[in-house]
Amino acid sequence: PGPGPTWIDGLVTLQDKQGSERLFAKYVKIKGLLTTYERGLVEFNEKQKAFEKREVFDFNAPLYPEGHPVKYRMDDQDYILFGQAAPLIRVPANPDALADLKQYETYSYVKPDTAAAADWTVDRDEGGALRYQWRKNVSPLTSELEKKLIQQNKLSEQERYFQMRDIETNERIEIQNSSVAWNEYRGKWTMIGLQKYGTSVLGEIWYSEAASPLGPWKWGRKIVTHDKYSFYNPKQHPLFAREKGRLIYFEGTYTALFSGNEVKTPRYDYNQIMYQLDLSDPRLAAELFEK
């Protein structure tokens, strides 16, 4: 309830202490076109066949569920990873933790003892190398944050976390949001990512892979392009993968809304389109992503 539309993302299924499976999602309330004024957690009610509000989050909290989640085990514990450009936020994989923002951490080298952007402190070891740790009470790394740190001479270009480059041109690729999943065929974590600034407005989709869902995501290959049309919020569907992941599937929202294109595709505008990607294609050879 409340004025404006309700959007959800970060849908995840978890088991509670009784072994029951429960479906959760983060919700946001929107005013105007894209202004968020409330966020929190909802749970799907099987009997009512509807989502119900479970928690209203502190709007100023730096960490909360967002993006497309992925389950990952580390340090002998099951976690859910969240994030936009990369899944750099974690929370223990249980309903109580999911609703408690105090249990959220992000993988970062920025110390959490500073709130103002001008006072961010980069954590380094005795040798001067960045010290990555799981940290609470600090915003997740973004390309924008790293650009500010570089401007403040606290970080070098070579030290950036977001280093993805085009396999063909070596140009830097900035990812808006992504979907990461384990791929048995490659023995790697695969990313389907939406480029932030590309040849179309939110219409360029890239493939990358890494040994960990945390990266490093070094190289990317463009796999979908659009001529003045958008294809945003891509999502991998590992459930549909075939031949141990040789064939993977992802969808996105196809729309002219953000593109500036006045000619909308009949029957398809603002609709979901799914693609199949064949990882045995020579243009996606594993060695290209290992150089």
Side-chain angles (χ1 to χ4, degrees), residues 216-250:
W217 305 99
K218 297 185 293 184
W219 297 101
R221 166 78 75 182
K222 185 185 288 192
I223 54 175
V224 177
T225 186
H226 291 87
D227 182 12
K228 206 174 181 182
Y229 229 88
S230 297
F231 184 80
Y232 72 91
N233 196 27
K235 173 68 174 74
Q236 283 196 71
H237 290 290
L239 177 66
F240 298 152
R242 296 294 180 266
E243 299 180 28
K244 296 184 177 181
R246 181 180 73 83
L247 301 176
I248 63 175
Y249 295 82
F250 64 92

Side-chain angles (χ1 to χ4, degrees), residues 72-123:
Y72 187 54
R73 186 170 181 82
M74 65 182 86
D75 303 327
D76 295 322
Q77 185 171 350
D78 292 327
Y79 287 92
I80 304 298
L81 303 183
F82 292 98
Q84 292 292 346
L88 297 178
I89 301 169
R90 77 176 185 181
V91 65
N94 66 75
D96 291 339
L98 189 69
D100 183 5
L101 295 188
K102 294 179 181 178
Q103 298 199 45
Y104 284 68
E105 301 172 296
T106 188
Y107 191 62
S108 177
Y109 51 77
V110 177
K111 290 185 178 181
D113 55 353
T114 52
D119 298 326
W120 279 324
T121 301
V122 172
D123 192 8

Side-chain angles (χ1 to χ4, degrees), residues 35-207:
T35 302
T36 301
Y37 69 88
E38 180 181 303
R39 69 172 61 94
L41 189 71
V42 291
E43 180 178 357
F44 189 72
N45 185 316
E46 288 283 356
K47 293 182 179 180
Q48 299 296 326
K49 303 300 180 184
F51 281 99
E52 297 177 339
K53 186 183 293 186
R54 286 288 176 263
E55 191 78 26
V56 177
F57 291 149
D58 177 359
F59 196 75
N60 295 316
L63 298 173
Y64 47 84
E66 59 177 334
H68 299 300
V70 57
K71 295 181 179 180
Y72 187 54
R73 186 170 181 82
M74 65 182 86
D75 303 327
D76 295 322
Q77 185 171 350
D78 292 327
Y79 287 92
I80 304 298
L81 303 183
F82 292 98
Q84 292 292 346
L88 297 178
I89 301 169
R90 77 176 185 181
V91 65
N94 66 75
D96 291 339
L98 189 69
D100 183 5
L101 295 188
K102 294 179 181 178
Q103 298 199 45
Y104 284 68
E105 301 172 296
T106 188
Y107 191 62
S108 177
Y109 51 77
V110 177
K111 290 185 178 181
D113 55 353
T114 52
D119 298 326
W120 279 324
T121 301
V122 172
D123 192 8
R124 297 180 181 275
D125 63 20
E126 294 77 6
L130 295 178
R131 182 184 281 116
Y132 279 89
Q133 293 179 353
W134 287 102
R135 305 174 188 269
K136 296 183 178 182
N137 302 316
V138 63
S139 298
L141 294 174
T142 63
S143 293
E144 290 77 11
L145 188 154
E146 291 195 316
K147 288 176 184 177
K148 292 179 181 178
L149 292 175
I150 291 171
Q151 292 170 357
Q152 296 169 7
N153 295 317
K154 297 177 181 179
L155 189 74
S156 70
E157 284 282 351
Q158 293 72 28
E159 291 179 314
R160 295 171 62 147
Y161 170 84
F162 295 101
Q163 291 277 2
M164 187 186 296
R165 292 184 178 274
D166 185 338
I167 282 177
E168 293 187 347
T169 67
N170 202 40
E171 293 182 358
R172 189 183 300 279
I173 304 302
E174 192 166 341
I175 297 298
Q176 170 85 7
N177 72 298
S178 69
S179 178
V180 171
W182 171 252
N183 187 277
E184 184 179 355
Y185 176 76
R186 293 296 266 252
K188 296 287 181 66
W189 293 84
T190 57
M191 172 186 284
I192 302 296
L194 169 66
Q195 187 176 4
K196 183 176 291 187
Y197 305 110
T199 54
S200 64
V201 179
L202 300 180
E204 308 306 296
I205 304 297
W206 293 74
Y207 171 87

Side-chain angles (χ1 to χ4, degrees), residues 249-278:
Y249 295 82
F250 64 92
E251 67 169 300
T253 303
Y254 178 77
T255 177
L257 181 63
F258 306 108
S259 68
N261 194 333
E262 297 180 357
V263 181
K264 299 180 180 180
T265 306
R267 299 178 182 270
Y268 275 88
D269 188 67
Y270 225 111
N271 214 331
Q272 298 302 108
I273 295 180
M274 183 173 288
Y275 285 87
Q276 178 195 86
L277 183 65
D278 186 347

